[in-house]
Amino acid sequence: THLSTTFQKKQKNTSHTTHHINEMSGARGGLFGAGGRFSGGTDPIMEKFNESIHFDKRMWHEDITGSIAYAKANAKIGILTDHERDVIINGLNEISQEWANDQFELKPGDEDIHTANERRLTELVGKEIGGKLHTGRSRNDQVATDTRLWTVKEEVKILENLAELLNIGANFAKEHVDILCAGYTHLQPAQPIRFSHWILSHLTPIMRDAERLKQMIPRANQCPLGSGALAGNAFNVDRDYLAQELKFDGVTLNSLDAVCDRDFIVEFLNWHALFLTHVSQFAEDLIILNLQKTVIIADAYATGSSLMPQKKNPDALELLRGKAGVALGRSVSLTCTLKGLPRAYNKDLQEDKPLLFAAVDTVHDCVAILSGVLATLTPVEAKLVGTLQPEMLATDLAEYLVLHKQVPFRETHHISGACVRLCEDNSIQLNQLSMEQLQSIDERLCDEGDVKIMDVLTDYSKSVERKQSIGGTSRERVLECAETCLEFAKGLV
């Protein structure tokens, strides 16, 4: 009896809770209202949890563009009359103007950009005509189409911005080609280089990034529209026509895959993580040069301290450096979401767009900031030259013995190292060694005709100019590299 009474109480509580949810439930909207599959509304918390309109509304243009193409395709196969097609297209164009003028009014039940636009269309042209637009189409192939269109558009913009960045950087390198500075490995003085060679060393990976991005676009630019929910279109819609109307490069091969394929987003997220890694490295090097006072960062890209009046912090560069970690997190996040998904569409895929949108926004911002930093950067030649140290010419000393005394390099490496050790023991610089000290290490450390061994230990310009091979530090090769960068940038736009 006790168990029976308890069960009855639970039933009563459950009934009350269900009634309460039904009373308090949100509207499903005109597209998915009660009377079809569902007998009531949704929990308001579920509505909020489920909706994506607050972020996917930024694809309003792509959604309308896709719908216009789909209306034309449906008219071709007789689903719509020419009159109905024109009415729908005029309505969609009116909706487009509302979005463009920030006049589109979102209403309860506008779960996503697709339902919002279709709801507004039926308001404008009536359900009798507006309700025909979605024939044979699913939000599954619709969102895949919108996202591909939006992604490709943004990737093209990014390429244009990268071209500008490369132009700024390459011209900056040409302008300052005669400035010498220290080159480092392990943050230790290594060999003399040109300041421009260092600039171009950071532009080169950005060229690779741009090349990768350009190669990604054809894979993203495939039309999934006409794939339906998963099994294709039952009305024999012309998918080649849809691809042509929407300026896709082709159509997806398999409807089941088309609606759940997010490879193009993963590719972009991976791409932006690598690109921002390169930007981060560039920013870190600039932060170090700023610390050395060998470059001056414009005030526009620095901030002060709330306490210390003298401070000028390279915040723009620090933020550029920090973005790479967040970018890597986005890349891993979506890959983890995808790894266990069954075929075909699952609502988990809704989580792709916040990551994609944030990634695109971050890339646009970072390219703009880095371009501005480079365009306003001032190298301090005297301090850059001041970073040069005689020990950086130890390799030149070894190479002198190879070139002029025909000594095997492994032996010359040992001889030059002994000279460095002698300097350390005597607390002097390499260029302060006397001829007597040099020949105490090896008698072949002497002049050879017009070539003076002391010049090898003192002339940084000759050291830099000797690197004549492609990609080297000679003036000709550095200018050649800058021109290659400029030519490459032209091909991005």
Side-chain angles (χ1 to χ4, degrees):
T1 302
H2 173 71
L3 289 175
S4 176
T5 302
T6 302
F7 178 72
Q8 288 174 0
K9 285 182 179 179
K10 285 184 177 180
Q11 274 193 316
K12 185 177 180 181
N13 289 338
T14 301
S15 175
H16 172 75
T17 301
T18 303
H19 176 70
H20 175 71
I21 288 175
N22 284 336
E23 279 190 335
M24 300 298 291
S25 62
R28 289 187 182 272
L31 300 181
F32 306 103
R37 169 62 179 84
F38 299 97
S39 60
T42 52
D43 185 328
I45 297 174
M46 175 58 185
E47 283 230 342
K48 183 179 179 182
F49 190 63
N50 188 54
E51 64 91 16
S52 59
I53 186 64
H54 66 284
F55 56 80
D56 66 21
K57 64 184 178 182
R58 71 190 293 176
M59 297 193 302
W60 65 264
H61 182 267
E62 287 70 30
D63 192 70
I64 291 172
T65 300
S67 289
I68 289 174
Y70 196 68
K72 292 178 180 178
N74 273 346
K76 281 190 67 181
I77 57 175
I79 297 295
L80 297 173
T81 67
D82 289 350
H83 170 70
E84 290 171 332
R85 175 200 63 201
D86 293 343
V87 169
I88 286 174
I89 290 174
N90 288 337
L92 289 169
N93 284 329
E94 187 174 339
I95 296 169
S96 180
Q97 285 301 309
E98 290 179 357
W99 280 111
N101 296 327
D102 199 23
Q103 294 174 343
F104 188 95
E105 182 184 353
L106 292 173
K107 294 184 178 180
D110 287 347
E111 179 183 322
D112 49 44
I113 188 59
H114 326 297
T115 55
N117 282 338
E118 188 174 345
R119 184 266 306 161
R120 180 60 178 144
L121 179 65
T122 59
E123 290 176 354
L124 291 174
V125 306
K127 292 183 178 180
E128 185 67 27
I129 294 178
K132 293 184 177 183
L133 172 63
H134 206 60
T135 305
R137 184 173 66 169
S138 164
R139 285 185 296 170
N140 296 356
D141 62 343
Q142 191 174 359
V143 69
T145 303
D146 291 359
T147 309
R148 284 177 181 270
L149 287 171
W150 188 90
T151 301
V152 169
K153 178 185 72 176
E154 294 301 322
E155 287 175 337
V156 170
K157 288 181 184 177
I158 290 169
L159 283 177
E160 292 170 354
N161 294 336
L162 288 177
E164 182 180 5
L165 171 60
L166 292 171
N167 271 309
I168 291 170
N171 283 314
F172 182 83
K174 288 176 66 177
E175 181 182 355
H176 301 291
V177 70
D178 293 319
I179 299 178
L180 305 186
C181 65
Y184 299 87
T185 63
H186 308 277
L187 279 180
Q188 298 299 306
Q191 289 183 289
I193 60 172
R194 294 184 186 275
F195 177 66
S196 296
H197 191 65
W198 170 81
I199 289 287
L200 290 163
S201 78
H202 284 293
L203 296 183
T204 302
I206 293 175
M207 290 169 67
R208 293 196 299 271
D209 292 326
E211 185 177 33
R212 270 187 287 268
L213 184 58
K214 195 172 183 179
Q215 292 168 347
M216 285 160 48
I217 290 176
R219 289 192 291 275
N221 202 35
Q222 300 296 312
C223 182
L225 193 56
S227 297
L230 75 162
N233 185 285
F235 301 94
N236 198 28
V237 71
D238 188 341
R239 296 191 64 211
D240 287 323
Y241 172 80
L242 285 169
Q244 183 180 0
E245 280 290 303
L246 294 171
K247 296 181 173 58
F248 281 112
D249 292 334
V251 297
T252 53
L253 296 179
N254 179 283
S255 62
L256 200 63
D257 173 65
V259 298
C260 64
D261 172 22
R262 296 298 184 270
D263 290 3
F264 65 101
I265 300 180
V266 173
E267 275 198 282
F268 182 81
L269 294 179
N270 288 338
W271 177 89
H272 103 293
L274 181 57
F275 168 67
L276 291 177
T277 297
H278 294 146
V279 169
S280 178
Q281 292 171 338
F282 201 168
E284 169 65 8
D285 264 5
L286 283 168
I287 289 168
I288 293 171
L289 294 187
N290 180 67
L291 172 67
Q292 296 174 330
K293 308 299 182 185
T294 54
V295 297
I296 298 173
I297 298 167
D299 289 354
Y301 299 99
T303 66
S305 164
S306 61
L307 175 65
M308 298 167 283
Q310 83 281 8
K311 292 297 293 296
K312 180 181 174 181
N313 300 323
D315 281 17
L317 296 172
E318 291 169 0
L319 288 168
L320 288 174
R321 184 177 59 186
K323 297 296 182 183
V326 179
L328 181 60
R330 291 190 193 106
S331 174
V332 173
S333 177
L334 183 58
T335 306
C336 287
T337 298
L338 295 175
K339 74 176 183 64
L341 293 186
R343 284 291 185 268
Y345 183 85
N346 295 271
K347 201 58 177 275
D348 314 49
L349 294 175
Q350 184 166 289
E351 299 302 315
D352 61 355
K353 280 169 286 299
L355 298 169
L356 173 64
F357 296 157
V360 168
D361 291 344
T362 300
V363 170
H364 281 312
D365 290 345
C366 288
V367 173
I369 292 295
L370 184 56
S371 296
V373 168
L374 279 179
T376 58
L377 190 70
T378 303
V380 183
E381 183 171 0
K383 294 202 172 185
L384 283 165
V385 172
T387 62
L388 296 168
Q389 300 176 31
E391 66 186 80
M392 295 178 178
L393 297 173
T395 305
D396 294 80
L397 182 60
E399 291 169 348
Y400 168 83
L401 291 173
V402 172
L403 286 170
H404 300 286
K405 303 295 183 178
Q406 291 74 52
V407 183
F409 178 75
R410 279 300 165 209
E411 186 179 349
T412 69
H413 186 283
H414 180 81
I415 293 168
S416 183
C419 292
V420 172
R421 186 175 67 252
L422 179 61
C423 290
E424 290 177 347
D425 292 343
N426 289 276
S427 300
I428 59 175
Q429 298 288 342
L430 195 61
N431 61 350
Q432 294 174 322
L433 288 173
S434 66
M435 287 296 295
E436 182 180 355
Q437 288 173 311
L438 287 169
Q439 294 204 322
S440 69
I441 293 173
D442 192 291
E443 61 181 15
R444 290 168 293 188
L445 291 170
C446 61
D447 297 342
E448 180 67 26
D450 294 336
V451 182
K452 306 297 182 183
I453 192 170
M454 295 311 296
D455 289 344
V456 176
L457 299 177
T458 57
D459 197 330
Y460 300 108
S461 295
K462 288 183 178 178
S463 172
V464 168
E465 200 58 25
R466 273 195 291 270
K467 313 303 191 300
Q468 295 281 344
S469 297
I470 295 173
T473 56
S474 72
R475 192 176 194 277
E476 179 184 358
R477 291 305 190 184
V478 170
L479 289 173
E480 179 181 76
C481 181
E483 290 297 336
T484 300
C485 184
L486 291 171
E487 282 300 311
F488 175 84
K490 288 180 184 178
L492 297 178
V493 294

